Structure formats: C-alpha cells, structure tokens
Amino acid sequence: MTMKLHCFGESGHSYKVALALNLAGVDWEPVYVDFFNGAARSPEFRSKINNMGECPVFIDGDTHLTQSGVIIDYITEKTGKFGGTTPEEKRDVLRWVLWDNHKMSSLAGITRFLTNFLPADKRSPDVIAFHKGRLKVSLDILNTALEGREWLVGDTITAADLSCCGYLFYPEEFGFDRSSYPNIDAWLTRISELPGWKHPYELMPGSPADRA
C-alpha cells in the first residue's frame, strides 16, 4: 500500500517528511491540504485526520502519525535510513531534531508566515524583527556546528539534517540569506545534490504562485 502524506507546499514541516520519503526511495503520494483556505482547521479534518489541525499527517496502512519528528522517526525505523549508526549518534540525532523543532523551525516558520503570508496590514515590524533576531541566533548555532563537517551527525545524512534544513530551501524572505552562512550554504548544496532531492514546491502540491 502506498504511503500518503497530507501536506501542502508551503509547509516546511511537511517538506521535511516529503524529503525523507523521497530520499529513502519509498513509494508515497501527497494529499493536498488547502491550508490557507482553512482545510486543516475544519471540523472534518480535526475529527478524521488530525485533531491538532496541522500538517503533516502521514498514513501507512493502519499507521496514522502526526508531527514531523515522529514521522521521520517512523521512516527511519522502517527503512533503516537517517537514524545514525551508534547509540551515541542516535541520541545526537534526536538532540538536533528536538532543538530544531523548538529553536529553529518554529522560529523560521512563524517569521516566514508573518513576513510573507499574513495580510500586509496585520504585519508588525517590531514582532517580525524580534523573531528574526532570535532566528539569527539559531542560524549561527547551526552554521558553527557545520564547521568542518559535511553532516550534523556522523558521515551521512540523518534526521538531524532533514529536520534542520526543512525551511531553509524556501525562497521567501524571512531573515535567512545563504551567503551569510557559508557552512549552511555548502550543507544545503550537498543535500540538494542527493538522488531524490526536490524543491518543496516541486515535491508537494501548493505554492504562493497558486494564490497569486
């Protein structure tokens, strides 16, 4: 049975999972969620798909999962990829996934939304500047961690890389300029050269251009 991923192109958390599936080489198909027209907040979605009203949602037969970190962990368990090779590496992978969800993807996601997708008359320059400042701290941490390294953990791509790169391939302005972070820039290039890599707007349905 083909795995299904409820997602939309603008979702960085969905992209992490879609990218993991593609790089793992498994059969899967995206199920478009019209997030910007309220689909994820509808009573039907909350009662049948995800009571948290979020994407991504992953379905593999009777397995029904939400939250990108959990889904990537399942993909890792099922495919034997992305998990690290020693107990120490596995714990370090988890450390980066937890850090990313709290300290980077959460900031990148909200900053990108406030800067690009919130109606212009509701955007607060002070709030956006505050979030960009916090995001810069996280980007500096990531850039330093990648000094002299190809991957965050071990000698191949893991869930740590998949989680942390999720929002950094998006073209919208949200306080991230690849040229300012040379180690991140080189790391993103390495990821994009892996067989199966695709840009988020190519890998999942939905993009800002669809709503233009």
Side-chain angles (χ1 to χ4, degrees):
M1 182 177 294
T2 301
M3 301 175 185
K4 297 183 185 297
L5 182 68
H6 293 256
C7 60
F8 59 103
E10 295 91 340
S11 168
H13 286 288
S14 295
Y15 179 55
K16 300 173 188 183
V17 177
L19 185 57
L21 290 166
N22 242 42
L23 294 182
V26 299
D27 290 330
W28 71 283
E29 63 181 49
V31 179
Y32 177 57
V33 177
D34 192 358
F35 179 85
F36 287 94
N37 283 315
R41 297 178 295 281
S42 70
E44 182 178 9
F45 187 93
R46 285 181 178 271
S47 64
K48 295 181 179 179
I49 306 298
N50 184 3
N51 61 351
M52 296 178 179
E54 298 175 335
C55 286
V57 179
F58 175 79
I59 299 174
D60 181 20
D62 294 332
T63 300
H64 188 131
L65 300 173
T66 67
Q67 299 299 313
S68 61
V70 174
I71 301 169
I72 295 174
D73 182 69
Y74 175 85
I75 296 167
T76 294
E77 182 179 328
K78 184 153 187 168
T79 67
K81 302 176 185 290
F82 314 131
T85 58
T86 67
E88 292 78 15
E89 285 187 1
K90 292 177 189 299
R91 283 191 291 270
D92 206 23
V93 168
L94 178 60
R95 181 176 74 100
W96 278 108
V97 170
L98 294 174
W99 174 84
D100 168 71
N101 276 259
H102 179 54
K103 292 289 189 178
M104 198 170 74
S105 280
S106 58
L107 289 168
I110 193 169
T111 307
R112 179 166 158 264
F113 180 83
L114 293 173
T115 306
N116 298 277
F117 303 139
L118 195 69
D121 62 343
K122 299 186 185 314
R123 298 174 190 172
S124 167
D126 290 339
V127 171
I128 291 172
F130 172 77
H131 281 90
K132 284 184 176 180
R134 293 191 67 200
L135 177 60
K136 182 182 183 303
V137 173
S138 296
L139 290 167
D140 286 339
I141 290 170
L142 180 64
N143 193 67
T144 299
L146 287 164
E147 181 72 34
R149 300 185 59 86
E150 291 192 355
W151 309 105
L152 283 169
V153 179
D155 58 5
T156 189
I157 190 169
T158 67
D161 304 287
L162 290 166
S163 190
C164 290
C165 81
Y167 278 93
L168 303 185
F169 282 108
Y170 281 93
E172 296 85 19
E173 195 283 319
F174 60 95
F176 172 59
D177 178 358
R178 283 178 64 158
S179 66
S180 298
Y181 302 94
N183 298 328
I184 294 177
D185 179 48
W187 169 71
L188 292 175
T189 297
R190 280 190 291 277
I191 295 172
S192 68
E193 291 173 345
L194 293 172
W197 181 87
K198 287 186 179 181
H199 187 278
Y201 292 146
E202 296 176 356
L203 195 52
M204 302 176 293
S207 75
D210 297 334
R211 302 190 309 279

